[in-house]
């Protein structure tokens, strides 16, 4: 790319930002050469853009801001997730100990349950636990190694099996099929779910319509592992086992 006159600081930073968003090379040396300025000047430009939240600094340069995976998904299908969450809450009597899975639909469930004062919550999701920080419900966060999904895995699974009892477990999923079962992307998270399933009396699946046309690599169990599905009106449930109850939530 040909070099470019320095111009004003504002013009230079605007052009740097345009190039970064477009996916062009954004290392300090290349930008300094292109704009015919010192590398320290480019470092100051990138620092200013980063401070404004417009780019992320990386070693030697910058890149376009990337919304974290979990936060990005949390903004998708919010209406459906809230309707599902309300319907799940109606299924859970007061006085129960409730396990809540990770994921954005389960976070929506947590936000609704946090308005109550009659539950004990067990989870391995940091966002789910955080939803209860001002709640009258007591929340217990299981330990482990932090993942990109803001879950804690590879903790003491045996301890969960021996010391945890749940009345209801609210699961999310990556995919659900009557023939292929309930599937997920991360094997470590599947092991935590498996321990929680063994510790619970009832499993409720909270999932929007997109999960019923999907399949992931790691299977937790057969479709009838759950006793009830709470979903939205767009879900296609042709192959759900007859023993599994279904609630279609509306808003």
């Amino acid at each position: 790319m040909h070099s470019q006159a320095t111009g004003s600081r504002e013009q230079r930073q605007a052009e740097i930002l345009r190039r970064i968003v477009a996916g062009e090379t954004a290392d300090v040396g290349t930008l300094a050469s292109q704009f015919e300025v010192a590398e320290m000047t480019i470092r100051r430009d990138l620092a200013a853009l980063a401070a404004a939240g417009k780019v992320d600094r990386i070693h030697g340069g910058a890149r376009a801001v990337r919304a974290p995976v979990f936060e990005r998904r949390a903004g998708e299908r919010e209406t459906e997730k809230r309707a599902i969450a309300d319907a799940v809450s109606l299924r859970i009597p007061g006085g129960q100990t409730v396990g809540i899975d990770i994921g954005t639909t389960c976070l929506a469930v947590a936000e609704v349950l946090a308005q109550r004062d009659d539950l004990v919550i067990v989870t391995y999701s940091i966002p789910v636990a955080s939803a209860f920080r001002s709640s009258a419900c007591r929340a217990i966060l299981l330990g482990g190694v932090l993942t990109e999904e803001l879950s804690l895995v590879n903790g003491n699974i045996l301890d969960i099996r021996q010391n945890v009892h749940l009345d209801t477990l609210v699961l999310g999923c990556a995919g659900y099929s009557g023939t292929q079962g309930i599937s997920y992307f991360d094997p470590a998270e599947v092991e935590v779910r498996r321990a929680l399933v063994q510790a619970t009396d009832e499993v409720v699946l909270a999932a929007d319509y997109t999960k019923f046309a999907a399949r992931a690599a790691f299977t937790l169990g057969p479709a009838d592992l759950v006793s009830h599905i709470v979903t939205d009106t767009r879900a296609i449930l042709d192959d759900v086992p007859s023993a599994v109850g279904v609630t279609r939530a509306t808003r």
Side-chain angles (χ1 to χ4, degrees):
M1 181 178 295
H2 62 79
S3 64
Q4 179 171 321
T6 302
S8 71
R9 180 180 60 185
E10 292 78 12
Q11 290 174 331
R12 186 176 62 249
Q13 290 180 6
E15 178 60 18
I16 290 172
L17 178 61
R18 185 197 66 77
R19 296 183 186 189
I20 291 174
V21 171
E24 296 182 19
T25 299
D27 65 87
V28 170
T30 300
L31 290 172
S33 175
Q34 291 170 351
F35 286 93
E36 299 178 348
V37 296
E39 290 189 0
M40 183 56 68
T41 299
I42 294 297
R43 289 192 180 93
R44 286 195 291 265
D45 288 336
L46 295 179
L49 291 170
K54 296 178 179 178
V55 302
D56 287 334
R57 291 300 304 273
I58 58 174
H59 180 70
R63 68 183 180 193
V65 173
R66 299 179 180 178
V69 174
F70 186 92
E71 285 83 348
R72 185 174 64 245
R73 293 204 326 273
E76 300 172 350
R77 297 178 293 281
E78 289 181 285
T79 300
E80 290 90 344
K81 291 172 183 176
R82 180 54 190 259
I84 290 168
D86 287 339
V88 169
S89 181
L90 290 174
R91 289 191 53 81
I92 299 175
Q96 285 205 348
T97 299
V98 180
I100 305 180
D101 196 5
I102 69 168
T104 57
T105 303
C106 286
L107 176 58
V109 171
E111 290 169 346
V112 171
L113 294 183
Q115 299 171 30
R116 297 173 53 168
D117 62 1
D118 55 357
L119 302 170
V120 175
I121 304 300
V122 177
T123 187
Y124 64 110
S125 163
I126 292 175
V128 166
S130 297
F132 292 91
R133 62 186 177 273
S134 299
S135 173
C137 295
R138 187 160 65 101
I140 299 168
L141 179 63
L142 302 174
V145 178
L146 183 65
T147 74
E148 187 179 45
E149 286 288 306
L150 302 179
S151 63
L152 297 168
V153 301
N154 297 327
N156 193 336
I157 300 297
L158 180 62
D159 189 58
I160 295 175
R161 290 174 175 149
Q162 292 179 340
N163 299 313
V164 174
H165 174 262
L166 306 174
D167 297 296
T168 301
L169 172 63
V170 181
L171 284 181
C173 70
Y176 180 95
S177 163
T179 56
Q180 303 297 330
I182 311 166
S183 58
Y184 300 90
F185 295 113
D186 188 297
E189 292 171 351
V190 168
E191 288 309 306
V192 179
R193 292 183 179 99
R194 184 165 286 120
L196 292 172
V197 166
Q198 293 174 358
T200 194
D201 294 336
E202 181 184 24
V203 180
V204 175
L205 179 68
D208 68 59
Y209 71 96
T210 62
K211 303 303 189 294
F212 298 92
R215 181 182 177 187
F218 301 97
T219 300
L220 173 62
D224 60 2
L225 179 72
V226 303
S227 58
H228 202 90
I229 294 172
V230 182
T231 187
D232 54 71
T233 56
R234 299 174 64 182
I236 298 174
L237 306 174
D238 295 340
D239 62 351
V240 173
S242 58
V244 177
V246 174
T247 296
R248 289 184 179 272
T250 58
R251 237 182 129 69

